[in-house]
Amino acid sequence: MKKPNLAVLGATGVVGREILSILEEQKVEYNNIKLLSSKRSAGSKLMFNGIEHNVLEAVPDVFEGVNVVLASAGASTSLLLAHEAAKRGAVFIDNSSAFRMEKDVPLVIAGVNDDDLKWHKGIIANPNCSTSQLMPVLKPLNDYAKIKRLIVSTYQAVSGAGLAAMNELTDNTKVNLIGMPYENKVFKYEIGFNLIPQIDVFTENGYTKEEMKVTNETRKILHLDENVPISCTAVRVPVYRGHSEAVTIEFEKNITPAIARDILKNAFGVKVEDEPENYVYPTPKNCAGKDPVYVGRIRKSIAFDNAIDLFCVADNLRIGAALNTVRLAQKVIEMELY
């Protein structure tokens, strides 16, 4: 297998730096690598694998000779550059929302629906962060008992809104502790000691775009029938890193909590922490910087027949963004799809 030429688009951003870190951790083999950014950051230097790299401006010609692009530079940038990269023979793995619901673009979580990679046409979409951590949990359960109904409530860390949002949480918290007024800029309301039941803009049906992403992306990734009802409520919480989700899943086939635990203990990328009698369950602070999706509070739902309630937590910057991007690149290389 030949070693690919890689490019990391958005290399100077929060997720881009995480991608570089994971590439190092995973010891991904490559022939050469280009670190790309906007014109504003071009010319800066980044250390990667012990070597200082010059950051190049992301323009179409820079993709010449590149086999795989790991992109995390926002939807507008991806819309400008994805097809340019693909036209030059690169596989563009996109972490933005630009192509997720395009019919001819596979939306993939590594280890969940890898076969969808085979029909890519140069662009592969990485799902939304809150969808990403849900899929390794739902896929094996759906394989066993087939999902009939899904209800999700997300508790999303501020890092999902970027570095400025993380700084706003810090500043807002400090100011609140000394009783001083604070002017929030990133969020609609103060995030310190608060919850905000809005992520992204509202749509005509009263749900936010974030909530509809979870609904539509889940359906696409798991190939669920259009008649399967899915509902999501997304809430921003004063946590730096790690999204949490309370999930109710109704199935067509009977499934017990014990069976669900056994299935999830053997699922790729999932770690079960479920001993409530010993206060063992996942929390965002404990999952920060780690790769698995942690699952606990697995119990029989008293609201629906053949239903399970559970709580899952994951580091949104890893499984929700950078880690899956790297895993997809590894799958593309391993399956020789470039």
Side-chain angles (χ1 to χ4, degrees):
M1 184 189 305
K2 65 176 182 178
K3 294 180 182 179
N5 297 325
L6 303 179
V8 176
L9 175 60
T12 59
V14 174
V15 177
R17 289 173 187 271
E18 196 73 25
I19 287 172
L20 293 173
S21 175
I22 295 171
L23 285 170
E24 286 185 333
E25 290 174 19
Q26 301 283 337
K27 295 181 170 57
V28 175
E29 294 188 352
Y30 58 90
N31 181 42
N32 61 55
I33 189 167
K34 295 178 180 179
L35 308 188
L36 311 177
S37 74
S38 64
K39 185 176 183 178
R40 183 180 57 192
S41 299
S44 60
K45 298 182 185 299
L46 285 177
M47 291 296 295
F48 175 68
N49 273 337
I51 299 171
E52 188 175 71
H53 291 261
N54 291 317
V55 177
L56 306 176
E57 183 181 355
V59 294
D61 287 347
V62 82
F63 297 106
E64 291 288 350
V66 173
N67 302 121
V68 181
V69 182
L70 296 85
S72 187
S76 58
T77 300
S78 291
L79 287 168
L80 284 172
L81 295 175
H83 290 291
E84 293 292 342
K87 189 166 67 178
R88 289 164 172 78
V91 179
F92 192 95
I93 301 171
D94 185 35
N95 198 43
S96 81
S97 62
F99 303 102
R100 288 173 184 158
M101 298 313 299
E102 295 291 327
K103 288 185 178 180
D104 61 347
V105 176
L107 181 67
V108 184
I109 289 290
V112 171
N113 59 325
D114 296 343
D115 281 348
D116 286 348
L117 292 170
K118 296 175 182 176
W119 52 268
H120 83 77
K121 298 177 181 177
I123 301 173
I124 297 165
N126 187 14
N128 179 46
C129 53
S130 43
T131 309
S132 295
Q133 72 184 68
L134 193 55
M135 295 304 98
V137 176
L138 293 186
K139 175 61 163 61
L141 295 175
N142 183 57
D143 288 347
Y144 177 84
K146 198 171 182 183
I147 294 171
K148 182 179 179 181
R149 184 193 316 267
L150 178 66
I151 301 170
V152 183
S153 295
T154 74
Y155 310 89
Q156 296 180 222
V158 295
S159 54
L163 183 59
M166 297 174 75
N167 291 336
E168 182 157 300
L169 173 57
T170 300
D171 296 340
N172 192 187
T173 302
K174 289 177 180 178
V175 166
N176 268 265
L177 286 170
I178 59 173
M180 297 291 289
Y182 181 79
E183 183 182 350
N184 44 289
K185 296 178 180 177
V186 177
F187 298 112
K188 298 293 184 183
Y189 292 89
E190 291 187 40
I191 188 60
F193 302 99
N194 202 13
L195 302 176
I196 303 173
Q198 178 189 355
I199 300 177
D200 214 325
V201 298
F202 286 98
T203 64
E204 290 183 0
N205 65 3
Y207 285 77
T208 64
K209 283 182 69 176
E210 178 78 7
E211 292 160 351
M212 292 311 300
K213 285 175 187 176
V214 174
T215 297
N216 296 328
E217 292 174 18
T218 296
R219 199 182 303 281
K220 181 174 179 178
I221 293 167
L222 296 182
H223 305 285
L224 296 178
D225 191 272
E226 287 294 326
N227 294 323
V228 174
I230 302 173
S231 179
C232 176
T233 300
V235 181
R236 188 72 71 188
V237 298
V239 170
Y240 286 109
R241 187 164 176 162
H243 290 352
S244 303
E245 298 175 341
V247 188
T248 297
I249 319 143
E250 185 182 12
F251 298 93
E252 292 188 3
K253 176 181 172 181
N254 183 50
I255 182 171
T256 66
I259 290 172
R261 280 189 203 94
D262 286 341
I263 289 170
L264 292 172
K265 283 177 181 177
N266 294 298
F268 171 77
V270 175
K271 185 174 177 58
V272 174
E273 291 188 342
D274 192 29
E275 297 175 32
E277 66 279 8
N278 295 318
Y279 309 104
V280 175
Y281 37 71
T283 67
K285 193 163 187 177
N286 288 341
C287 81
K290 299 174 183 175
D291 289 347
V293 178
Y294 293 86
V295 184
R297 299 293 318 281
I298 301 168
R299 61 207 186 275
K300 180 175 174 57
S301 174
I302 58 176
F304 301 102
D305 293 332
N306 299 332
I308 294 290
D309 290 323
L310 57 82
F311 191 70
C312 72
V313 182
D315 184 327
N316 56 297
L317 295 181
R318 291 181 74 88
I319 183 62
L323 180 61
N324 193 55
T325 303
V326 173
R327 283 177 172 170
L328 289 177
Q330 289 173 301
K331 287 289 182 182
V332 166
I333 296 164
E334 175 189 316
M335 297 166 72
E336 298 185 347
L337 297 174
Y338 64 96

